[in-house]
Amino acid sequence: IKDVARGAGVSITTVSHALSGGGALKQETRDRIRELDEQMNYMPNRSGQNLKSVRTGVIGLYVEYIRGFYGQLADFMYGKCRESGYELDVIIASDGRAVLNNLLSCKVDGAVILHDRLCRQDLEILMKAEMPTVFLDRKAAGRRMSSILFDSYQTGRMVAEYLYGLGHRKILLVEGKNTYDGIERSRGFEDCLEEHGILVAESRRLYGGFDRKEAYQAAKRFLSEGMSLPTAVFAANDDSAIGCIQALHEAEISVPDQVSVVGCDNIELGQWFLPSLTTVDTGVADMGKAAIEEVVALIEGKHQGSVTMIPGHLVERASAAARTG
C-alpha cells in the first residue's frame, strides 16, 4: 500500500479509502489509485487488516452525552473529518474503562476525548500504547497525545469584569462539574472579583453540574430559602444559565430587570431563548476543527503532542443589563 501511495503521490490513508470505497475522495483520484493498484498487482493482506498497523479511516469522539455544546462540537468535527478523508464515530460511554476498551480495540485511528471519567492511570495506558489522542478537558502532552483547551480561566475573568463594569456587586456563581473547564471558569471569575474587593460567599455558590435541570433545581432551592436576591448570575455553561432563568421566571423575577444572567459556550439555543442569552463564545468551531487537525497530525506522525489554548469572546444579548437602583 505504501508503494501505491508513493506512485500516486497521495497518503496511505487516501489509498486505503480509494480501495475500500470509503472516504470523501474525488472520483478521478479514486480511479487513478485503482488503476495504479491494478498495474502494480497490489494485494491487500486481509489477515493484517485488523492489526493496529492498518488504518480504519475513522476518528473517534468519546463523550458522556451529545446534547447542547457536545452536538455542536461533533458537527464541526465531522465537517473537518470529511475534508481530511476520515469518518467520525461518536462514542457515548458511561465510564473511563469503556472508553479505554474501545480505543485499544483498534476500531479507530485516533481519538478526541471529552470525558471526565478517565483517570490518570487510563492516560498512562493510552500514552504507553501510543494511541493518537487529543483531549478537550485536561492538559496532557506526549509523543502522540495533545490537548486543545478553551482558555477557561480568562473566560471566568472576562465575565467577572463585564458584570462588575455593569455595576453588579451581589453576584451568584453557578458552578459546573469538578473538571478543567468548571474549575478554571470559577477560579478566573473569583480571582477577578477578589481583585475588585468582592468575595463570593459559600451562600452565593451553587452547584449546577453543567446541566440545565440540575441548575434549575439548585436555583429553585436557593430562591425558596429566602436568601437575599443577587443582582447577577454567572452560570458555568449556557445549559445551566437557561435552567437558572427558568427558575427565576417561575419565581416572577424579571431577567434582566431584576437579575442579569450570563452563561458560557454560546450554544445555538441561547440566541433563541427568551430573553436571548448573554454568553461567552468559547470557540467551539475552532476547537472542533483544531482537534481534528491535531489528531490527524498525530496519526501521521507529523509532530509531537502539545497543549493549545483557544480564547473566547463575549456575546452581549438581552439577559444582562446595567444594575439599576
Side-chain angles (χ1 to χ4, degrees):
I1 194 169
K2 290 180 180 178
D3 293 335
V4 175
R6 191 179 301 112
V10 297
S11 69
I12 292 172
T13 303
T14 300
V15 174
S16 177
H17 287 329
L19 300 182
S20 67
L25 304 178
K26 293 181 179 178
Q27 190 59 45
E28 60 188 74
T29 302
R30 199 182 299 275
D31 292 342
R32 178 163 56 88
I33 291 170
R34 286 177 174 170
E35 182 179 352
L36 186 60
D37 160 55
E38 292 176 4
Q39 292 172 5
M40 299 178 70
N41 296 315
Y42 167 71
M43 291 291 290
N45 181 353
R46 300 297 178 190
S47 65
Q49 287 188 335
N50 290 324
L51 298 177
K52 188 175 180 180
S53 59
V54 178
R55 296 188 182 164
T56 64
V58 177
I59 292 171
L61 170 61
Y62 294 82
V63 294
E64 291 182 73
Y65 41 81
I66 200 64
R67 62 182 179 271
F69 162 81
Y70 292 81
Q72 285 182 253
L73 177 67
D75 280 344
F76 289 119
M77 286 179 60
Y78 180 63
K80 191 63 182 179
C81 276
R82 297 289 288 179
E83 290 178 18
S84 304
Y86 285 85
E87 295 296 332
L88 180 70
D89 273 1
V90 179
I91 298 94
I92 303 173
S94 59
D95 59 67
R97 185 55 51 180
V99 172
L100 204 62
N101 288 341
N102 186 282
L103 272 171
L104 298 181
S105 67
C106 306
K107 295 179 180 179
V108 297
D109 293 337
V112 178
I113 300 178
L114 181 53
H115 201 298
D116 64 9
R117 299 296 180 88
L118 270 77
C119 65
R120 183 184 297 276
Q121 185 179 4
D122 296 331
L123 266 65
E124 291 173 355
I125 292 171
L126 288 176
M127 194 169 287
K128 287 179 181 177
E130 295 198 337
M131 167 60 71
T133 305
V134 175
F135 285 99
L136 305 183
D137 60 358
R138 70 198 70 199
K139 286 185 177 181
R143 200 173 83 83
R144 291 206 166 189
M145 186 175 287
S146 290
S147 291
I148 308 287
L149 300 169
F150 296 137
D151 195 343
S152 288
Y153 179 80
Q154 289 301 327
T155 291
R157 291 189 63 90
M158 185 187 309
V159 174
E161 200 65 61
Y162 172 69
L163 290 174
Y164 186 86
L166 291 177
H168 297 285
R169 303 294 182 266
K170 294 169 60 177
I171 304 173
L172 183 70
L173 174 60
V174 181
E175 298 185 287
K177 289 183 179 180
N178 190 32
T179 59
Y180 173 84
D181 285 317
I183 292 168
E184 290 298 290
R185 286 173 189 177
S186 294
R187 189 169 72 88
F189 185 78
E190 292 182 82
D191 282 355
C192 182
L193 287 184
E194 188 173 347
E195 290 168 13
H196 287 295
I198 300 171
L199 296 178
V200 180
E202 283 301 315
S203 61
R204 294 194 178 277
R205 188 195 307 269
L206 306 181
Y207 179 73
F210 283 142
D211 181 78
R212 194 177 306 171
K213 184 176 181 181
E214 199 159 358
Y216 165 79
Q217 291 173 338
K220 288 274 286 185
R221 286 193 298 271
F222 176 86
L223 294 170
S224 69
E225 290 169 358
M227 303 284 288
S228 173
L229 198 65
T231 65
V233 174
F234 172 45
N237 74 343
D238 287 347
D239 277 320
S240 298
I242 288 169
C244 289
I245 291 175
Q246 183 62 35
L248 290 166
H249 281 171
E250 290 180 8
E252 298 184 347
I253 297 168
S254 175
V255 177
D257 295 334
Q258 291 173 271
V259 178
S260 290
V261 178
V262 178
C264 193
D265 284 338
N266 195 23
I267 64 172
E268 187 174 5
L269 176 61
Q271 63 183 311
W272 306 113
F273 194 75
L274 293 176
S276 58
L277 186 62
T278 295
T279 184
V280 177
D281 188 324
T282 47
V284 61
D286 293 336
M287 171 176 267
K289 293 172 184 177
I292 295 303
E293 288 174 354
E294 181 64 15
V295 77
V296 169
L298 293 175
I299 290 168
E300 297 178 355
K302 291 182 177 178
H303 60 236
Q304 295 274 334
S306 61
V307 176
T308 301
M309 306 295 285
I310 296 177
H313 65 272
L314 190 72
V315 179
E316 294 186 73
R317 296 197 182 108
S319 68
R323 179 186 175 187
T324 57

